[in-house]
């Protein structure tokens, strides 16, 4: 317990995590409202349309991720975040106004999702790398865990609030609230003590810098394994927005309130995992592999559940194991990568986790339309299970261990025995 809140010693981190909590609640409200808008108001329960919307939102990071990582390494991350957060807030406002005035069409949602995706592509690596500038290295694992806890506290509250709002007054207020929530994170960034930030030396302009970052990763087999696992799990397993919407409406014939409940129950698990990670404070390989295995097994089991509430109960386990896996990936990269490559490596990590969504989301949506939602849930989770088994095989053969390539002072052990 004594390490659970160590990152909060930093006043700058307190500003950061408080603003992020408020903004994340709005973000989760928009995710639920956007999927419900597409699924029930703009189409006739089309899982494919929901998949395309989600795919467009994550497509830019697939193509822009490497460049965005270089931008994060080259420029002031604090200023970059103020720009990206502002743009993301404006996209929420635009969608809210379109729905409010009753003129929203499916192509509007597609375009706004794509613009949001461009802003997110530049926001993600800067936001992830910024954590290492706000707190000292010994507190990075705790900061990553508390970030996850903040995100998942929002995930616990946001879907439920959105579900109630949609049932009472429709989807427009959820988009409006999300737009307003970005003020909190912008205020927190603006109020930070710039002199207390632990800024990495900016990477000067040069040739082949993106290729240099890729070469660095190629020379780290441990990072390659993590990135491959993250791609497989993220692309095929992390499609909760689509699969839960289809399971709620098509399989169990429930409404928006119950759909919001599913999102909140996943958040119970994800928040629990984040709190456990904050208490542990250290990275162990077993959490990386166990997270992938547990997520895959729980997802396959959920796809077979006969009733809504049995399915909902297993989502708690799905949420817990998913964040255990993601936190382990993030922490291992934050701690082990050289600071001058951190933005580019984190951008590549975000690209494989989220950038595979344009492939996985439409595919999972199509599987749900053709074979049924249960197949969509089960097949996606099955891929994650195979990824965990592959990593376990590599460990047992002595071919996978994570090294600390970060020369910063005050380092903490990256690898503990599995």
């Amino acid at each position: 317990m004594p390490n659970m809140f160590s990152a909060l010693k930093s006043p700058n981190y307190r500003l950061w995590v408080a603003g992020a909590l408020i903004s994340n609640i709005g973000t989760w409200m928009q995710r639920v409202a956007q999927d419900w808008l597409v699924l029930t108001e703009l189409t006739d329960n089309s899982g494919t349309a929901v998949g395309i919307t989600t795919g467009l939102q994550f497509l830019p990071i697939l193509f822009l991720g490497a460049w965005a990582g270089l931008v994060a390494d080259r420029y002031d991350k604090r200023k970059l975040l103020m720009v990206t957060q502002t743009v993301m807030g404006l996209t929420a406002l635009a969608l809210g106004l379109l729905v409010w005035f009753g003129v929203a069409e499916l192509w509007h949602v597609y375009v706004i999702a794509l613009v949001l995706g461009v802003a997110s592509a530049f926001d993600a690596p800067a936001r992830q790398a910024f954590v290492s500038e706000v707190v000292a290295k010994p507190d990075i694992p705790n900061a990553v865990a508390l970030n996850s806890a903040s995100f998942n506290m929002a995930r616990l509250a946001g879907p439920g609030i959105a579900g109630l709002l949609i049932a009472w007054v429709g989807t427009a207020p959820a988009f409006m609230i999300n737009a307003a929530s970005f003020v909190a994170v912008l205020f927190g960034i603006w109020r930070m003590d710039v002199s207390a930030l632990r800024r990495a030396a900016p990477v000067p302009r040069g040739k082949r810098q993106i290729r240099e970052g890729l070469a660095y990763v190629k020379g780290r087999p441990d990072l390659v394994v993590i990135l491959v696992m993250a791609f497989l799990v993220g692309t095929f397993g992390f499609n909760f927005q689509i699969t839960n919407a289809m399971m709620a409406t098509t399989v169990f014939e429930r409404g928006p309130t119950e759909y919001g409940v599913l999102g909140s129950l996943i958040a119970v698990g994800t928040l629990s995992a984040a709190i456990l990670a904050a208490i542990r404070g250290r990275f162990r390989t077993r959490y990386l592999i166990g997270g992938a295995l547990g997520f895959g097994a729980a997802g396959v089991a959920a796809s077979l559940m006969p009733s809504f509430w049995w399915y909902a109960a297993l989502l708690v386990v799905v949420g817990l194991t998913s964040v255990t896996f993601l936190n382990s990936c993030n922490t291992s990269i934050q701690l082990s990568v050289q600071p001058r490559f951190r933005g580019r490596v984190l951008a590549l990590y975000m690209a494989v986790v989220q950038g595979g969504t344009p492939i996985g989301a439409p595919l999972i949506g199509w599987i749900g339309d053709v074979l049924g939602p249960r197949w969509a849930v089960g097949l996606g989770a099955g891929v994650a299970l195979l990824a965990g088994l592959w990593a376990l095989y590599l460990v047992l053969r002595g071919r996978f261990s994570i090294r600390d390539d970060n020369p910063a002072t005050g380092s903490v052990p990256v690898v503990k025995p599995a």
Side-chain angles (χ1 to χ4, degrees), residues 106-123:
L106 185 59
W107 72 268
H108 292 144
V109 180
Y110 286 166
V111 170
I112 289 173
L114 185 61
V115 174
L116 176 61
V118 172
S120 299
F122 286 91
D123 182 83

Side-chain angles (χ1 to χ4, degrees), residues 24-25 28-29 32 153-166 256-257 259-265 267:
N24 285 332
I25 291 174
W28 278 108
M29 290 178 65
V32 171
M153 285 173 66
R155 189 176 191 170
L156 182 62
I161 296 171
L164 291 174
L165 276 176
I166 294 168
T257 301
Y259 174 45
V261 167
L262 293 181
S264 294
L265 285 174

Side-chain angles (χ1 to χ4, degrees), residues 177 192 222 267 291:
I177 291 172
M192 285 185 178
D222 54 335

